[in-house]
Each structure stands twice: as structure tokens, then as C-alpha cells.
Coordinates of all heavy atoms in Angstrom, one line a residue:
M31 N 11.6 -21.6 -38.0 CA 12.5 -20.7 -37.2 C 13.5 -21.5 -36.4 O 13.6 -22.7 -36.5 CB 11.6 -19.9 -36.3 CG 10.6 -19.0 -37.1 SD 11.5 -17.9 -38.2 CE 10.3 -17.0 -38.9
S32 N 14.4 -20.7 -35.7 CA 15.4 -21.4 -35.0 C 15.5 -20.8 -33.5 O 14.9 -19.9 -33.2 CB 16.7 -21.2 -35.7 OG 17.2 -20.0 -35.5
I33 N 16.3 -21.5 -32.7 CA 16.5 -21.1 -31.4 C 17.0 -19.7 -31.3 O 16.6 -18.8 -30.5 CB 17.4 -22.1 -30.6 CG1 16.6 -23.4 -30.4 CG2 17.8 -21.5 -29.3 CD1 17.4 -24.4 -29.6
L34 N 18.0 -19.4 -32.2 CA 18.5 -18.1 -32.1 C 17.6 -16.9 -32.7 O 17.7 -15.8 -32.2 CB 19.8 -18.0 -33.1 CG 21.0 -18.8 -32.6 CD1 22.1 -18.8 -33.5 CD2 21.5 -18.2 -31.3
T35 N 16.7 -17.2 -33.6 CA 15.8 -16.2 -34.0 C 14.5 -16.1 -33.2 O 13.9 -15.0 -33.2 CB 15.4 -16.4 -35.6 OG1 14.8 -17.7 -35.6 CG2 16.7 -16.3 -36.4
D36 N 14.2 -17.1 -32.5 CA 13.0 -17.0 -31.7 C 13.1 -16.8 -30.2 O 12.2 -16.6 -29.5 CB 12.2 -18.4 -31.8 CG 11.7 -18.6 -33.2 OD1 11.6 -17.6 -34.0 OD2 11.4 -19.8 -33.6
N37 N 14.4 -16.7 -29.6 CA 14.6 -16.6 -28.3 C 15.8 -15.6 -28.0 O 16.7 -15.4 -28.9 CB 15.0 -17.9 -27.7 CG 13.9 -18.9 -27.8 OD1 12.9 -18.9 -27.1 ND2 14.0 -19.9 -28.8
V38 N 15.8 -15.0 -26.8 CA 16.9 -14.3 -26.3 C 17.8 -15.3 -25.5 O 17.3 -15.9 -24.6 CB 16.5 -13.1 -25.5 CG1 17.8 -12.4 -24.9 CG2 15.6 -12.2 -26.2
I39 N 19.0 -15.5 -25.9 CA 19.9 -16.5 -25.4 C 20.8 -15.8 -24.3 O 21.2 -14.7 -24.5 CB 20.8 -17.0 -26.5 CG1 20.0 -17.6 -27.7 CG2 21.8 -18.2 -25.9 CD1 19.1 -18.7 -27.4
P40 N 20.9 -16.5 -23.1 CA 21.7 -15.9 -22.1 C 23.1 -15.7 -22.6 O 23.7 -16.5 -23.4 CB 21.7 -16.9 -20.9 CG 20.7 -17.9 -21.3 CD 20.4 -17.8 -22.7
G41 N 23.8 -14.7 -22.1 CA 25.2 -14.4 -22.5 C 25.5 -12.9 -22.5 O 24.6 -12.1 -22.1
N42 N 26.7 -12.5 -22.9 CA 27.0 -11.2 -22.8 C 26.6 -10.4 -24.1 O 26.9 -9.1 -24.2 CB 28.5 -11.0 -22.6 CG 29.4 -11.7 -23.5 OD1 28.9 -12.4 -24.4 ND2 30.7 -11.6 -23.4
H43 N 26.0 -10.9 -25.1 CA 25.6 -10.2 -26.3 C 24.2 -9.6 -26.1 O 24.0 -8.4 -26.6 CB 25.6 -11.1 -27.6 CG 27.0 -11.4 -28.0 ND1 27.7 -12.5 -27.6 CD2 27.8 -10.7 -28.8 CE1 28.8 -12.5 -28.2 NE2 29.0 -11.4 -28.9
G44 N 23.4 -10.3 -25.6 CA 21.9 -9.8 -25.4 C 21.3 -9.8 -26.7 O 21.8 -10.4 -27.8
K45 N 20.1 -9.2 -26.8 CA 19.4 -9.1 -28.0 C 18.8 -7.7 -28.1 O 18.4 -7.0 -27.2 CB 18.1 -10.1 -28.0 CG 17.2 -10.0 -29.2 CD 17.9 -10.7 -30.4 CE 16.9 -10.8 -31.5 NZ 17.7 -11.4 -32.7
I46 N 19.1 -7.0 -29.3 CA 18.7 -5.6 -29.5 C 17.3 -5.5 -30.2 O 17.0 -6.3 -31.1 CB 19.7 -5.0 -30.4 CG1 21.1 -4.9 -29.7 CG2 19.3 -3.5 -30.7 CD1 22.2 -4.5 -30.6
F47 N 16.5 -4.7 -29.6 CA 15.1 -4.4 -30.2 C 15.0 -3.0 -30.5 O 15.5 -2.1 -29.8 CB 14.1 -4.7 -29.1 CG 14.0 -6.3 -28.8 CD1 14.8 -6.8 -27.9 CD2 12.9 -7.0 -29.4 CE1 14.7 -8.1 -27.5 CE2 12.8 -8.3 -29.1 CZ 13.8 -8.9 -28.1
G48 N 14.4 -2.7 -31.6 CA 13.9 -1.3 -32.0 C 12.5 -1.1 -31.4 O 11.7 -2.0 -31.2
T49 N 12.1 0.2 -31.1 CA 10.9 0.5 -30.5 C 10.4 1.7 -31.1 O 11.2 2.6 -31.5 CB 10.9 0.5 -29.0 OG1 9.5 0.7 -28.5 CG2 11.8 1.6 -28.5
N50 N 9.0 1.9 -31.1 CA 8.4 3.1 -31.5 C 8.3 4.2 -30.3 O 7.7 5.2 -30.6 CB 7.1 3.0 -32.3 CG 6.1 2.3 -31.3 OD1 6.4 1.6 -30.4 ND2 4.8 2.5 -31.7
A51 N 8.7 3.8 -29.2 CA 8.7 4.8 -28.0 C 9.8 5.8 -28.3 O 10.9 5.5 -28.8 CB 9.0 4.0 -26.7
I52 N 9.4 7.1 -28.0 CA 10.3 8.2 -28.3 C 10.9 8.9 -27.0 O 12.0 9.1 -26.8 CB 9.7 9.3 -29.2 CG1 9.4 8.6 -30.5 CG2 10.6 10.4 -29.4 CD1 8.5 9.5 -31.4
E53 N 9.9 9.1 -26.1 CA 10.2 9.9 -24.9 C 10.9 9.0 -23.9 O 10.7 7.7 -23.8 CB 8.9 10.4 -24.2 CG 8.0 11.2 -25.1 CD 8.8 12.5 -25.4 OE1 9.6 13.1 -24.5 OE2 8.6 13.1 -26.5
D54 N 11.9 9.5 -23.1 CA 12.7 8.8 -22.1 C 11.7 8.1 -21.1 O 12.0 7.1 -20.7 CB 13.6 9.7 -21.4 CG 14.8 10.2 -22.4 OD1 15.0 9.5 -23.4 OD2 15.5 11.1 -21.9
I55 N 10.7 8.8 -20.6 CA 9.7 8.3 -19.7 C 9.1 7.0 -20.2 O 8.9 6.0 -19.5 CB 8.7 9.3 -19.2 CG1 7.9 8.8 -18.1 CG2 7.7 9.7 -20.4 CD1 8.6 9.0 -16.8
D56 N 8.8 6.9 -21.5 CA 8.2 5.7 -22.1 C 9.2 4.6 -22.1 O 8.9 3.4 -21.8 CB 7.7 6.0 -23.6 CG 6.6 7.1 -23.5 OD1 5.8 7.1 -22.6 OD2 6.5 7.8 -24.5
L57 N 10.4 4.9 -22.4 CA 11.5 3.9 -22.5 C 11.8 3.3 -21.1 O 12.0 2.1 -21.0 CB 12.8 4.5 -23.1 CG 12.7 4.8 -24.6 CD1 13.9 5.7 -25.0 CD2 12.7 3.6 -25.4
I58 N 11.7 4.2 -20.1 CA 11.9 3.7 -18.7 C 10.8 2.8 -18.3 O 10.9 1.8 -17.6 CB 12.1 4.9 -17.7 CG1 13.4 5.6 -18.1 CG2 12.0 4.5 -16.3 CD1 13.6 7.0 -17.5
E59 N 9.5 3.1 -18.8 CA 8.4 2.3 -18.4 C 8.5 0.9 -19.1 O 8.2 -0.1 -18.5 CB 7.1 3.0 -18.9 CG 5.8 2.4 -18.4 CD 4.6 3.2 -18.8 OE1 4.7 4.3 -19.1 OE2 3.5 2.6 -18.7
I60 N 9.0 0.8 -20.3 CA 9.3 -0.4 -21.0 C 10.3 -1.2 -20.2 O 10.2 -2.4 -20.0 CB 9.8 -0.1 -22.5 CG1 8.6 0.4 -23.3 CG2 10.4 -1.4 -23.1 CD1 9.0 0.8 -24.7
K61 N 11.4 -0.5 -19.8 CA 12.5 -1.2 -19.1 C 11.9 -1.8 -17.8 O 12.2 -3.0 -17.5 CB 13.6 -0.2 -18.7 CG 14.7 -0.8 -18.0 CD 15.8 0.3 -17.7 CE 16.9 -0.3 -16.8 NZ 18.0 0.6 -16.7
S62 N 11.2 -1.0 -17.0 CA 10.6 -1.6 -15.7 C 9.7 -2.7 -16.0 O 9.7 -3.7 -15.2 CB 9.9 -0.6 -14.9 OG 9.8 0.6 -15.4
S63 N 8.8 -2.7 -17.0 CA 8.0 -3.8 -17.4 C 8.8 -5.1 -17.8 O 8.4 -6.1 -17.3 CB 7.0 -3.3 -18.5 OG 6.2 -4.4 -18.8
L64 N 9.8 -4.9 -18.5 CA 10.6 -6.0 -19.0 C 11.3 -6.7 -17.7 O 11.5 -7.9 -17.7 CB 11.6 -5.6 -20.0 CG 10.9 -5.4 -21.4 CD1 12.0 -4.8 -22.4 CD2 10.3 -6.7 -21.9
L65 N 11.8 -5.8 -16.8 CA 12.6 -6.4 -15.7 C 11.6 -7.2 -14.8 O 12.1 -8.0 -14.0 CB 13.2 -5.2 -14.9 CG 14.4 -4.6 -15.6 CD1 14.9 -3.3 -14.9 CD2 15.6 -5.6 -15.8
E66 N 10.3 -7.1 -14.9 CA 9.4 -7.9 -14.1 C 9.3 -9.4 -14.7 O 8.9 -10.3 -13.9 CB 8.0 -7.3 -14.1 CG 7.9 -6.0 -13.3 CD 6.6 -5.4 -13.5 OE1 5.7 -5.9 -14.2 OE2 6.4 -4.2 -13.0
L67 N 9.8 -9.6 -15.9 CA 9.7 -11.0 -16.4 C 10.9 -11.8 -15.8 O 12.0 -11.3 -15.7 CB 9.9 -10.9 -17.9 CG 8.9 -10.5 -18.9 CD1 9.3 -10.4 -20.3 CD2 7.7 -11.5 -18.7
D68 N 10.5 -13.0 -15.4 CA 11.5 -13.9 -14.8 C 12.6 -14.2 -15.9 O 12.3 -14.7 -17.0 CB 10.8 -15.2 -14.4 CG 11.8 -16.2 -13.7 OD1 12.7 -15.7 -13.0 OD2 11.6 -17.4 -14.0
G69 N 13.9 -14.0 -15.5 CA 15.0 -14.4 -16.4 C 15.6 -13.2 -17.1 O 16.7 -13.2 -17.6
I70 N 15.0 -12.0 -17.0 CA 15.6 -10.8 -17.6 C 16.4 -10.1 -16.5 O 15.8 -9.8 -15.5 CB 14.5 -9.9 -18.2 CG1 13.9 -10.5 -19.4 CG2 15.2 -8.5 -18.6 CD1 13.0 -9.7 -20.2
K71 N 17.7 -10.0 -16.7 CA 18.5 -9.4 -15.7 C 19.0 -8.1 -16.0 O 19.3 -7.3 -14.9 CB 19.8 -10.4 -15.5 CG 20.7 -10.4 -16.6 CD 21.8 -11.3 -16.3 CE 22.8 -11.4 -17.4 NZ 24.0 -12.2 -17.1
E72 N 18.8 -7.5 -17.2 CA 19.3 -6.2 -17.6 C 18.6 -5.8 -18.8 O 18.5 -6.5 -19.8 CB 20.8 -6.2 -17.7 CG 21.3 -4.8 -18.0 CD 22.9 -4.8 -17.9 OE1 23.5 -5.8 -18.5 OE2 23.5 -3.8 -17.5
V73 N 18.2 -4.5 -18.8 CA 17.8 -3.8 -20.0 C 18.5 -2.5 -20.2 O 18.4 -1.6 -19.3 CB 16.2 -3.5 -20.0 CG1 15.7 -2.8 -21.2 CG2 15.4 -4.8 -19.7
L74 N 19.3 -2.4 -21.3 CA 20.0 -1.2 -21.6 C 19.2 -0.4 -22.7 O 18.8 -0.9 -23.7 CB 21.4 -1.6 -22.1 CG 22.2 -2.4 -21.2 CD1 23.5 -2.8 -21.9 CD2 22.6 -1.7 -19.9
L75 N 19.1 1.0 -22.4 CA 18.3 1.8 -23.3 C 19.3 2.6 -24.1 O 20.3 3.1 -23.6 CB 17.5 2.7 -22.5 CG 16.4 2.2 -21.6 CD1 15.7 3.2 -20.7 CD2 15.5 1.2 -22.3
N76 N 19.0 2.8 -25.4 CA 19.9 3.6 -26.3 C 19.0 4.7 -26.8 O 18.2 4.5 -27.7 CB 20.4 2.7 -27.5 CG 21.4 3.6 -28.3 OD1 21.5 4.7 -28.2 ND2 22.0 2.9 -29.3
T77 N 19.1 5.8 -26.2 CA 18.4 7.0 -26.5 C 19.1 8.0 -27.5 O 18.6 9.0 -27.8 CB 17.9 7.8 -25.3 OG1 19.1 8.3 -24.6 CG2 17.1 6.9 -24.4
E78 N 20.2 7.6 -27.9 CA 21.1 8.4 -28.8 C 20.7 8.3 -30.3 O 21.1 9.1 -31.2 CB 22.6 8.1 -28.7 CG 23.1 8.2 -27.3 CD 23.0 9.7 -26.8 OE1 23.3 10.6 -27.6 OE2 22.6 9.9 -25.7
I79 N 20.0 7.3 -30.6 CA 19.6 7.0 -32.1 C 18.1 7.0 -32.2 O 17.3 7.0 -31.3 CB 20.2 5.7 -32.5 CG1 19.6 4.5 -31.8 CG2 21.6 5.7 -32.5 CD1 20.0 3.2 -32.4
F80 N 17.7 7.2 -33.4 CA 16.2 7.1 -33.8 C 16.1 6.1 -35.0 O 16.8 6.2 -35.9 CB 15.6 8.4 -34.2 CG 14.1 8.4 -34.4 CD1 13.3 8.4 -33.3 CD2 13.6 8.2 -35.6 CE1 12.0 8.3 -33.5 CE2 12.3 8.1 -35.8 CZ 11.4 8.2 -34.7
P81 N 15.2 5.1 -34.8 CA 14.3 4.8 -33.8 C 15.1 4.3 -32.6 O 16.2 3.7 -32.7 CB 13.4 3.8 -34.3 CG 14.1 3.2 -35.5 CD 15.0 4.2 -36.0
R82 N 14.5 4.5 -31.4 CA 15.1 4.1 -30.2 C 15.3 2.6 -30.1 O 14.7 1.9 -30.7 CB 14.3 4.5 -28.9 CG 14.0 6.1 -28.9 CD 15.3 6.8 -28.7 NE 14.9 8.2 -28.4 CZ 15.2 9.2 -29.1 NH1 15.9 9.0 -30.3 NH2 15.0 10.4 -28.9
E83 N 16.4 2.2 -29.4 CA 16.6 0.8 -29.2 C 16.8 0.4 -27.7 O 17.2 1.3 -27.0 CB 17.9 0.4 -30.0 CG 17.8 0.5 -31.4 CD 19.1 0.1 -32.1 OE1 20.2 -0.1 -31.4 OE2 19.0 -0.1 -33.3
F84 N 16.6 -0.9 -27.4 CA 17.0 -1.4 -26.1 C 17.6 -2.7 -26.3 O 17.2 -3.4 -27.2 CB 15.8 -1.3 -25.2 CG 14.6 -2.1 -25.5 CD1 14.5 -3.5 -25.1 CD2 13.6 -1.6 -26.2 CE1 13.4 -4.2 -25.6 CE2 12.4 -2.2 -26.6 CZ 12.4 -3.6 -26.3
T85 N 18.4 -3.0 -25.4 CA 19.1 -4.3 -25.4 C 18.7 -5.1 -24.2 O 18.8 -4.6 -23.0 CB 20.6 -4.2 -25.4 OG1 21.0 -3.4 -26.5 CG2 21.4 -5.5 -25.6
V86 N 18.3 -6.4 -24.4 CA 17.9 -7.2 -23.2 C 18.9 -8.3 -23.0 O 19.2 -9.0 -23.9 CB 16.5 -7.9 -23.6 CG1 16.0 -8.9 -22.5 CG2 15.5 -6.8 -23.9
H87 N 19.3 -8.4 -21.8 CA 20.3 -9.5 -21.3 C 19.5 -10.4 -20.3 O 18.7 -9.8 -19.5 CB 21.5 -8.9 -20.6 CG 22.4 -8.1 -21.5 ND1 23.4 -8.6 -22.2 CD2 22.4 -6.8 -21.7 CE1 23.9 -7.7 -22.9 NE2 23.4 -6.5 -22.7
T88 N 19.6 -11.7 -20.5 CA 18.9 -12.6 -19.8 C 19.8 -13.7 -19.0 O 20.9 -13.8 -19.4 CB 18.0 -13.5 -20.7 OG1 18.7 -14.3 -21.6 CG2 17.0 -12.6 -21.5
S89 N 19.2 -14.3 -18.1 CA 19.9 -15.4 -17.3 C 19.4 -16.8 -17.8 O 19.9 -17.7 -17.3 CB 19.7 -15.2 -15.8 OG 18.3 -15.2 -15.5
K90 N 18.3 -16.8 -18.6 CA 17.9 -18.0 -19.2 C 17.2 -17.7 -20.5 O 17.1 -16.5 -20.8 CB 16.9 -18.7 -18.2 CG 15.6 -17.9 -18.0 CD 14.7 -18.8 -17.0 CE 13.4 -18.1 -16.9 NZ 12.5 -18.9 -16.0
M91 N 16.9 -18.7 -21.2 CA 16.3 -18.5 -22.5 C 14.9 -18.0 -22.4 O 14.1 -18.5 -21.7 CB 16.3 -19.8 -23.3 CG 16.1 -19.6 -24.8 SD 16.3 -20.9 -25.9 CE 16.9 -22.3 -25.0
I92 N 14.7 -16.8 -23.1 CA 13.3 -16.1 -23.1 C 12.9 -16.0 -24.5 O 13.5 -15.5 -25.4 CB 13.4 -14.7 -22.4 CG1 14.1 -14.7 -21.1 CG2 12.0 -14.0 -22.4 CD1 13.2 -15.1 -20.0
P93 N 11.6 -16.4 -24.7 CA 11.1 -16.3 -26.1 C 10.9 -14.8 -26.4 O 10.4 -13.9 -25.6 CB 9.7 -17.0 -26.0 CG 9.7 -17.8 -24.8 CD 10.7 -17.2 -23.9
I94 N 11.3 -14.4 -27.6 CA 11.1 -13.0 -28.1 C 9.6 -12.6 -28.0 O 9.4 -11.5 -27.7 CB 11.6 -12.9 -29.5 CG1 13.1 -13.0 -29.5 CG2 11.2 -11.7 -30.2 CD1 13.9 -12.9 -30.7
S95 N 8.7 -13.5 -28.3 CA 7.3 -13.2 -28.2 C 6.9 -12.7 -26.8 O 6.0 -11.8 -26.7 CB 6.4 -14.4 -28.6 OG 6.7 -15.5 -27.8
D96 N 7.5 -13.2 -25.8 CA 7.2 -12.8 -24.4 C 7.6 -11.3 -24.2 O 6.8 -10.5 -23.6 CB 7.9 -13.6 -23.4 CG 7.3 -15.0 -23.2 OD1 6.3 -15.3 -23.9 OD2 7.9 -15.8 -22.4
I97 N 8.7 -10.9 -24.8 CA 9.3 -9.6 -24.7 C 8.3 -8.6 -25.5 O 7.9 -7.5 -25.1 CB 10.7 -9.5 -25.2 CG1 11.6 -10.3 -24.2 CG2 11.2 -8.1 -25.3 CD1 13.0 -10.5 -24.6
E98 N 8.0 -9.1 -26.7 CA 7.1 -8.3 -27.6 C 5.8 -8.0 -26.9 O 5.2 -7.0 -26.9 CB 6.9 -9.0 -29.0 CG 8.1 -9.0 -29.8 CD 8.0 -9.9 -31.0 OE1 7.2 -10.8 -30.9 OE2 8.6 -9.5 -32.1
N99 N 5.2 -9.1 -26.3 CA 3.9 -9.0 -25.7 C 4.0 -8.0 -24.4 O 3.0 -7.3 -24.2 CB 3.3 -10.3 -25.3 CG 2.9 -11.1 -26.5 OD1 2.6 -10.6 -27.5 ND2 3.0 -12.4 -26.3
R100 N 5.1 -8.1 -23.6 CA 5.2 -7.2 -22.5 C 5.3 -5.8 -22.9 O 4.7 -4.9 -22.3 CB 6.5 -7.7 -21.7 CG 6.7 -7.0 -20.4 CD 5.5 -7.0 -19.5 NE 5.4 -8.3 -18.9 CZ 5.4 -8.6 -17.6 NH1 5.4 -7.5 -16.7 NH2 5.3 -9.8 -17.1
V101 N 6.0 -5.5 -24.0 CA 6.1 -4.1 -24.5 C 4.8 -3.6 -25.0 O 4.4 -2.5 -24.8 CB 7.3 -4.0 -25.5 CG1 7.3 -2.6 -26.1 CG2 8.6 -4.3 -24.8
K102 N 4.0 -4.5 -25.7 CA 2.7 -4.1 -26.1 C 1.8 -3.7 -25.0 O 1.0 -2.8 -25.1 CB 2.1 -5.3 -26.9 CG 2.6 -5.5 -28.3 CD 1.9 -6.6 -29.0 CE 2.5 -6.9 -30.4 NZ 2.0 -8.1 -30.9
L103 N 1.9 -4.4 -23.8 CA 1.0 -4.0 -22.7 C 1.4 -2.5 -22.2 O 0.5 -1.9 -21.6 CB 1.4 -5.0 -21.5 CG 0.9 -6.3 -21.7 CD1 1.3 -7.2 -20.5 CD2 -0.7 -6.4 -21.7
V104 N 2.6 -2.0 -22.4 CA 2.9 -0.7 -22.1 C 2.4 0.3 -23.2 O 2.2 1.5 -22.9 CB 4.4 -0.6 -21.9 CG1 4.9 0.8 -21.6 CG2 5.0 -1.5 -20.9
G105 N 2.1 -0.3 -24.4 CA 1.5 0.6 -25.4 C 2.5 0.9 -26.6 O 2.1 1.8 -27.4
F106 N 3.5 0.1 -26.7 CA 4.5 0.3 -27.8 C 4.8 -1.1 -28.5 O 4.3 -2.0 -28.1 CB 5.8 1.0 -27.2 CG 5.5 2.4 -26.6 CD1 5.4 2.5 -25.3 CD2 5.4 3.4 -27.4 CE1 5.1 3.8 -24.7 CE2 5.1 4.6 -26.9 CZ 4.9 4.8 -25.5
H107 N 5.7 -0.9 -29.4 CA 6.1 -2.2 -30.1 C 7.6 -2.4 -29.9 O 8.4 -1.5 -29.7 CB 5.8 -2.1 -31.6 CG 4.4 -1.9 -31.9 ND1 3.5 -3.0 -31.9 CD2 3.6 -0.9 -32.2 CE1 2.3 -2.6 -32.2 NE2 2.4 -1.4 -32.4
A108 N 8.0 -3.7 -30.0 CA 9.4 -4.1 -29.9 C 9.7 -5.0 -31.1 O 9.0 -5.9 -31.4 CB 9.7 -4.9 -28.7
I109 N 10.7 -4.6 -31.9 CA 11.0 -5.2 -33.1 C 12.5 -5.8 -32.9 O 13.4 -4.9 -32.9 CB 10.9 -4.4 -34.4 CG1 9.4 -3.9 -34.5 CG2 11.4 -5.1 -35.6 CD1 9.3 -2.5 -34.5
P110 N 12.6 -7.1 -33.0 CA 14.0 -7.7 -32.8 C 14.9 -7.3 -34.0 O 14.5 -7.3 -35.1 CB 13.8 -9.1 -32.6 CG 12.4 -9.4 -33.2 CD 11.6 -8.1 -33.1
K111 N 16.1 -7.0 -33.7 CA 17.1 -6.7 -34.7 C 17.7 -8.0 -35.1 O 17.5 -9.1 -34.6 CB 18.2 -5.8 -34.2 CG 17.7 -4.4 -33.9 CD 17.8 -3.5 -35.1 CE 17.4 -2.1 -34.6 NZ 18.0 -1.1 -35.4
E112 N 18.5 -8.0 -36.2 CA 19.2 -9.2 -36.7 C 20.1 -9.9 -35.7 O 20.6 -9.2 -34.8 CB 20.0 -8.8 -38.0 CG 19.1 -8.4 -39.1 CD 18.2 -9.5 -39.6 OE1 18.6 -10.7 -39.7 OE2 17.0 -9.2 -39.9
I113 N 20.4 -11.1 -35.9 CA 21.4 -11.8 -35.1 C 22.8 -11.2 -35.2 O 23.2 -10.8 -36.3 CB 21.4 -13.3 -35.5 CG1 19.9 -13.9 -35.3 CG2 22.4 -14.0 -34.7 CD1 19.9 -15.3 -35.9
F114 N 23.5 -11.2 -34.2 CA 24.8 -10.6 -34.1 C 25.8 -11.5 -35.0 O 25.5 -12.7 -35.2 CB 25.4 -10.6 -32.7 CG 25.4 -11.9 -32.0 CD1 26.4 -12.7 -32.1 CD2 24.3 -12.2 -31.2 CE1 26.5 -13.9 -31.4 CE2 24.3 -13.5 -30.5 CZ 25.4 -14.4 -30.7
E115 N 26.9 -10.8 -35.5 CA 27.9 -11.5 -36.3 C 28.7 -12.3 -35.4 O 29.1 -11.9 -34.3 CB 28.8 -10.5 -37.0 CG 28.0 -9.6 -38.0 CD 27.7 -10.4 -39.3 OE1 28.5 -11.2 -39.7 OE2 26.6 -10.2 -39.9
L116 N 29.1 -13.5 -35.8 CA 30.0 -14.4 -35.1 C 31.4 -14.3 -35.6 O 31.7 -13.9 -36.6 CB 29.5 -15.8 -35.2 CG 28.2 -16.2 -34.5 CD1 27.9 -17.7 -34.9 CD2 28.2 -16.0 -33.0

């Protein structure tokens, strides 16, 4: 694997994750749980599409596995989307 596929890199692109959470309350719970992780500065929710997505912006490099595990604690899954186009 590589740094780009295994981590969320700080910057203005963030990393997009798909989730099996459907209700807005569940997405808000995921967002608050993720914001407790050191280095996560913003979580944007996209409730307009299905499956739902959220974008994580960080201030330092965060392993994707940390984000996946934090979302699992809430009772849902987080699946990272592909790397953005350069």
C-alpha cells in the first residue's frame, strides 16, 4: 500500500468515505465521534446521495483504519473512496 491509500493527508481535498448510515441522526453521531480524534478538523456530511458520504479534513496525517474503527464503534461502516484526480 502507499501513504495516499492508507492515510488521510492534510490539505483542502480531504478524503471521501461512503457509509451504510442512512438517517441524519446517525450521520451526526458519526461526525461527532470522528471529531473526537486528534487531528480531524472537519467532517462534511453529504445527505443528498445514496449511499451517504462524508468527507474528512485533517490537520495531520491520520490512518484510514483509525477512521474506520471509530465509525464501527458507532455501529456503521466507513468505506474510503478512490484517490482524487491530480
Side-chain angles (χ1 to χ4, degrees):
M31 296 302 180
S32 75
I33 288 178
L34 289 176
T35 58
D36 292 342
N37 298 288
V38 179
I39 308 298
N42 53 355
H43 287 94
K45 181 75 172 172
I46 300 173
F47 292 83
T49 183
N50 61 335
I52 297 172
E53 301 296 324
D54 289 346
I55 190 84
D56 297 330
L57 292 167
I58 291 169
E59 192 174 346
I60 288 171
K61 178 179 180 175
S62 6
S63 178
L64 288 174
L65 287 172
E66 292 173 3
L67 282 174
D68 182 41
I70 293 184
K71 63 180 183 179
E72 183 177 35
V73 178
L74 303 173
L75 303 174
N76 186 352
T77 59
E78 301 296 319
I79 61 172
F80 186 82
R82 304 292 190 245
E83 291 181 347
F84 59 89
T85 305
V86 176
H87 294 272
T88 64
S89 59
K90 64 180 188 178
M91 196 170 358
I92 305 281
I94 287 178
S95 60
D96 288 357
I97 293 169
E98 292 171 329
N99 291 334
R100 182 59 71 128
V101 173
K102 282 181 189 174
L103 289 175
V104 179
F106 298 99
H107 296 284
I109 297 121
K111 297 270 187 152
E112 293 298 316
I113 299 173
F114 57 87
E115 294 286 326
L116 294 178

